[in-house]
Amino acid sequence: DTGVSQNPRHKITKRGQNVTFRCDPISEHNRLYWYRQTLGQGPEFLTYFQNEAQLEKSRLLSDRFSAERPKGSFSTLEIQRTEQGDSAMYLCASSLNLYRANTGELFFGEGSRLTVL
Amino acid sequence: GNSVTQMEGPVTLSEEAFLTINCTYTATGYPSLFWYVQYPGEGLQLLLKATKADDKGSNKGFEATYRKETTSFHLEKGSVQVSDSAVYFCALRRFGNEKLTFGTGTRLTIIP
């Protein structure tokens, strides 16, 4: 399977703990995105990378959140000092460069569900 | 700011019924418009898209036409199947901007 892979699929943690999610994009894709989806809502943009460079961050990404993409391959999203309001599905997506491929299509993983008790 | 308003669900239809899921948008400039679908247990996947006014996107029997005058991108299918049961998301992206803005999603259930 060469789709976008996310791990872990489900994480249950206590308030105040740190959690880290990993995303492995489709191998030839140079752009990688993180979105958050809460129950009954559509996905909300958090941040995106082109190769290893983080080019945009949403205001939703508080200073407790940090995302990295070392070497421009996989990415990690870390949430420090988790709060109950962080409970959500964290989605990763990848794509080819917009201007090169001009498809605008994102390929999403199945998501990592976070439950903060 | 940019926003997408979708028809609220859930929507339940009988097999072979006609489907419409309404989507309207607010955006500056001329965004690209998308429908994404999420089947049970799977990630979101692109269903169809349109990049300029009057374009019609189509895929798997679904269609949507980019209507600039009504700022709409309604999803239609003439005869739905049980396998179409999923959550459908309308989304937009402004030209040159990487961020997709999604609607809240519409859950569709097709009964045999």
Side-chain angles (χ1 to χ4, degrees), chain B residues 11-13 19 21 80 84-88 106-110:
Chain B
V11 174
T12 302
L13 295 173
L19 168 71
I21 301 178
V80 292
D84 294 326
S85 298
V87 182
Y88 292 81
T106 302
R107 182 175 297 278
L108 174 67
T109 302
I110 307 301

Side-chain angles (χ1 to χ4, degrees), chain A:
Chain A
D1 184 22
T2 57
V4 177
S5 175
Q6 292 189 245
N7 288 288
R9 295 292 309 281
H10 195 179
K11 178 73 176 178
I12 301 173
T13 191
K14 293 182 179 178
R15 190 176 53 188
Q17 298 295 304
N18 299 344
V19 297
T20 299
F21 299 113
R22 175 179 170 127
C23 172
D24 288 272
I26 293 171
S27 59
E28 64 267 27
H29 285 182
N30 57 353
R31 291 200 169 176
L32 186 147
Y33 309 78
W34 286 99
Y35 282 78
R36 181 173 71 185
Q37 185 177 16
T38 53
L39 200 60
Q41 300 298 314
E44 296 173 295
F45 172 82
L46 292 179
T47 188
Y48 91 95
F49 294 82
Q50 172 147 333
N51 300 314
E52 66 276 10
Q54 188 173 18
L55 296 186
E56 185 176 350
K57 292 196 291 186
S58 162
R59 288 176 227 173
L60 292 175
L61 215 64
S62 77
D63 56 8
R64 295 185 298 105
F65 288 69
S66 62
E68 294 182 344
R69 193 183 182 197
K71 303 178 183 177
S73 56
F74 72 91
S75 176
T76 57
L77 177 68
E78 181 184 16
I79 309 173
Q80 296 182 326
R81 306 180 303 281
T82 52
E83 302 173 356
Q84 288 184 325
D86 298 331
S87 295
M89 179 76 85
Y90 290 85
L91 303 175
C92 178
S94 68
S95 75
L96 287 170
N97 178 281
L98 179 66
Y99 298 106
R100 185 193 307 166
N102 202 30
T103 66
E105 179 175 2
L106 300 189
F107 293 81
F108 282 85
E110 294 180 35
S112 293
R113 182 173 297 282
L114 173 65
T115 302
V116 181
L117 303 177

